[in-house]
Amino acid sequence: VTTHTPFSTARPATAPPPRRNLAETAFFLPALVSDANGTVTLEFALPDTLTTWQFKAIAHDEQLRSGTLFDTCVTAKDLMVEPQPPRFLREGDVVQFPVKVSNGSTGRLTGRVRLALFDARSNDSREALLDGPAERTFDLVAGASEAVFFTIRVADGTDVLRYLATGSTTGSARPLSDGEEALLP
């Protein structure tokens, strides 16, 4: 099983959309056809989660001959922004919201990571809940990761939040970006 994320070497006009489909499983039910050598090629869409996936397949033909395949594949990007939100917030909480920034490339990456908060129902900005800057810098050697922390002070009357954590490189020949968006009850 092979997966890849296409990257452009040209500077993008806008950052790619944030990852939203964070499902823990991917299910597909294809009708498989093999070539003359018996090779079967599968193509399917994975959720946006950056992780190691276990691949399990069971197939049979018209004569009920069967086969199985168990493998793993990794979905990753050169720059990965992975928020680690709490399960929920309560009015009056003061929490540290970590955003893990990872450099999966072979060189040093510097850039900025940003956390934006919105009311999930009205889409109004809730960045006033951030105690401190909404944007921080990172500087990572190849293969390194670090957590960038944002402090959130939950005001009375705060409803369900939507967060958007984004990161982008600065000053590199090949600009990279990543982002994740989800709800925070």
Side-chain angles (χ1 to χ4, degrees), residues 65-105:
R65 293 176 294 192
S66 63
T68 60
L69 172 65
F70 299 98
D71 205 347
T72 59
C73 68
V74 176
T75 51
K77 299 175 79 174
D78 284 347
L79 173 67
M80 294 183 287
V81 175
E82 300 172 274
Q84 307 292 315
R87 288 184 28 225
F88 56 87
L89 299 172
R90 294 186 186 118
E91 292 178 347
D93 279 353
V94 178
V95 298
Q96 294 290 307
F97 187 114
V99 177
K100 180 180 169 188
V101 183
S102 301
N103 178 357
S105 75

Side-chain angles (χ1 to χ4, degrees), residues 89-94 126 128-129 152-159 161:
L89 299 172
R90 294 186 186 118
E91 292 178 347
D93 279 353
V94 178
R126 292 294 180 252
L129 299 176
I152 300 175
R153 292 184 177 277
V154 184
D156 289 349
T158 300
D159 206 347
L161 297 172

Side-chain angles (χ1 to χ4, degrees), residues 4-161:
H4 64 88
T5 303
F7 291 102
S8 170
T9 56
R11 185 164 197 84
T14 60
R19 294 176 286 103
R20 291 185 177 103
N21 179 5
L22 305 176
E24 294 181 4
T25 58
F27 179 77
F28 65 103
L29 189 59
L32 303 176
V33 179
S34 61
D35 64 14
N37 297 324
T39 302
V40 176
T41 301
L42 302 173
E43 290 189 19
F44 57 94
L46 287 171
D48 296 332
T49 307
L50 301 174
T51 190
T52 299
W53 294 92
Q54 288 186 349
F55 182 82
K56 298 177 182 180
I58 301 170
H60 64 84
D61 65 10
E62 292 173 347
Q63 287 79 36
L64 297 180
R65 293 176 294 192
S66 63
T68 60
L69 172 65
F70 299 98
D71 205 347
T72 59
C73 68
V74 176
T75 51
K77 299 175 79 174
D78 284 347
L79 173 67
M80 294 183 287
V81 175
E82 300 172 274
Q84 307 292 315
R87 288 184 28 225
F88 56 87
L89 299 172
R90 294 186 186 118
E91 292 178 347
D93 279 353
V94 178
V95 298
Q96 294 290 307
F97 187 114
V99 177
K100 180 180 169 188
V101 183
S102 301
N103 178 357
S105 75
T106 57
R108 178 179 222 100
L109 293 180
T110 60
R112 294 185 178 89
V113 62
R114 177 172 175 67
L115 180 65
L117 298 173
F118 304 91
D119 182 285
R121 297 180 204 282
S122 68
N123 209 33
D124 293 335
S125 174
R126 292 294 180 252
E127 290 198 30
L129 299 176
L130 289 171
D131 187 7
E135 187 173 277
R136 309 232 186 226
T137 60
F138 64 85
D139 184 357
L140 298 170
V141 297
S145 296
E146 76 176 20
V148 178
F149 292 91
F150 298 89
T151 302
I152 300 175
R153 292 184 177 277
V154 184
D156 289 349
T158 300
D159 206 347
V160 176
L161 297 172

